[in-house]
């Protein structure tokens, strides 16, 4: 009987063949920020076009993929939805930061500490050589909850300017913001298109212990340690 790991490896190998034949460029984008800021909901919104019915704290990492077309080129965006809680991410850190092409920093506009902690996330990225040389964007999430918003736009904009990143304020929850979430990730896709990498699809997955969880519109692999 085939094990879950065996099935995943076979599926990855198969997709590697397809990628090779189609010469589709694959980009790894990590999404990081404090626990509960909405990383899972944002990536889910982008990949599936909807807000998830329920979410739980991410353990390790969730992978979501979306194929997009940018100026006649088909690209595959591989989103790494990382765990915000320290205890769920510790052993994964080296995996997160390997072969990364772009970074999305997320904070919650209703939680000052998630904004203050961005310096920690940026510094961790810098330690792993993910500085201003690669596309990085800042996303303030939960804008639908205006009554509880505490991080002023101009403060966030100043911070983004100081770190040479564009700022986007949005909501994963608000259906009317769905196009905006899409536009945010497409901005990144355009930036990535003008860069050169062709990521080896299996390079940092072989050592991971994964269980598989397919959704209708995206390939979603969960990795738990
Ligand atoms: N009001 C509002 N709530 C949101 C939004 N996005 C996410 N949430 C809620 O915020 C909570 C956390 O969302 P997640 O996407 O699981 O957060 P996360 O950053 O992935 O958390 P970790 O996996 O622990 O790192 C959930 O209760 C979501 O329903 C949003 O845009 N607006």
């Amino acid at each position: 009987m085939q094990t879950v790991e065996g099935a995943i490896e076979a599926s990855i190998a198969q997709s590697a063949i397809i990628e090779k034949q189609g010469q589709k460029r694959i980009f790894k984008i990590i999404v990081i920020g404090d626990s509960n800021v909405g990383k899972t909901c944002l990536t889910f919104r982008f990949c599936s076009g909807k807000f998830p019915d329920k979410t739980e704290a991410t353990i390790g990492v969730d992978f979501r993929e979306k194929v997009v077309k940018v100026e006649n080129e088909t690209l595959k965006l591989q989103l790494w939805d990382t765990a915000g809680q320290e205890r769920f991410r510790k052993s994964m850190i080296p995996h997160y930061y390997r072969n990364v092409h772009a970074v999305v920093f997320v904070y919650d506009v209703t939680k000052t500490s998630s904004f203050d902690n961005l310096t920690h996330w940026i510094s961790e990225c810098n330690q792993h050589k993910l500085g201003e040389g690669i596309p990085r964007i800042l996303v303030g999430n939960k804008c639908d909850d205006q009554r509880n918003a505490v991080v002023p736009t101009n403060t966030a904009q100043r911070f983004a300017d100081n770190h040479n990143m564009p700022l986007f304020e949005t909501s994963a929850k608000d259906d009317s913001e769905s196009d905006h979430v899409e536009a945010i990730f497409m901005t990144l896709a355009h930036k990535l298109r003008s860069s050169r990498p062709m990521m080896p699809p299996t390079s940092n997955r072989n050592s991971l212990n994964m269980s598989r969880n397919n959704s209708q519109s995206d390939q979603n692999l969960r990795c738990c340690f």
Side-chain angles (χ1 to χ4, degrees):
M1 198 175 76
Q2 195 173 32
T3 63
V4 173
E5 286 77 13
I8 289 166
E9 290 306 326
S11 154
I12 289 170
Q14 180 63 26
S15 91
I17 293 165
I18 293 164
E19 304 305 342
K20 206 169 170 205
Q21 284 168 351
Q23 289 300 301
K24 195 184 293 159
R25 289 197 288 169
I26 302 173
F27 294 96
K28 172 179 171 180
I29 301 171
I30 53 167
V31 183
I32 59 180
D34 277 10
S35 177
N36 230 39
V37 296
K39 299 180 295 297
T40 298
C41 293
L42 279 169
T43 55
F44 195 90
R45 169 67 82 179
F46 174 61
C47 292
S48 307
K50 52 189 183 192
F51 191 69
D53 294 334
K54 70 179 180 78
T55 58
E56 287 164 7
T58 303
I59 297 171
V61 65
D62 278 350
F63 303 97
R64 297 194 176 84
E65 291 186 336
K66 182 156 174 164
V67 173
V68 298
K69 201 145 199 180
V70 180
E71 292 168 30
N72 287 330
E73 185 182 352
T74 304
L75 310 175
K76 185 183 264 190
L77 305 183
Q78 191 179 76
L79 298 171
W80 285 51
D81 166 22
T82 67
Q85 284 189 50
E86 184 63 21
R87 66 191 165 128
F88 292 147
R89 68 189 305 275
K90 250 194 328 229
S91 61
M92 285 296 295
I93 291 174
H95 299 292
Y96 291 160
Y97 290 112
R98 208 173 293 149
N99 297 327
V100 172
H101 301 119
V103 183
V104 178
F105 295 100
V106 185
Y107 68 95
D108 173 350
V109 298
T110 70
K111 199 158 179 207
T112 306
S113 60
S114 73
F115 179 73
D116 293 341
N117 285 337
L118 286 170
T119 50
H120 156 77
W121 297 109
I122 291 172
S123 129
E124 190 175 278
C125 275
N126 288 342
Q127 279 164 27
H128 290 85
K129 312 258 182 297
L130 300 177
E132 290 174 19
I134 63 161
R136 306 188 307 171
I137 63 171
L138 179 58
V139 177
N141 189 37
K142 306 197 187 180
C143 282
D144 56 282
D145 192 3
Q146 273 307 315
R147 265 190 336 164
N148 293 312
V150 286
V151 181
T153 300
N154 58 359
T155 306
Q157 188 60 63
R158 218 172 17 248
F159 181 88
D161 291 346
N162 287 340
H163 291 87
N164 283 319
M165 295 188 258
L167 168 71
F168 300 92
E169 290 181 316
T170 195
S171 162
K173 186 174 188 178
D174 186 347
D175 287 337
S176 70
E177 287 281 299
S178 195
D179 287 350
H180 188 222
V181 172
E182 166 113 12
I184 291 168
F185 284 100
M186 288 308 286
T187 300
L188 216 44
H190 275 87
K191 285 188 182 189
L192 288 166
R193 186 184 173 266
S194 29
S195 61
R196 34 157 195 77
M198 169 80 88
M199 178 184 155
T202 57
S203 61
N204 52 10
R205 286 170 157 187
N206 290 341
S207 60
L208 303 183
N209 172 24
M210 298 179 191
S211 66
R212 182 148 200 192
N213 173 14
N214 269 326
S215 80
Q216 278 182 333
S217 55
D218 64 346
Q219 254 202 339
N220 189 349
L221 301 170
R222 170 167 287 198
C223 176
C224 314
F225 282 71

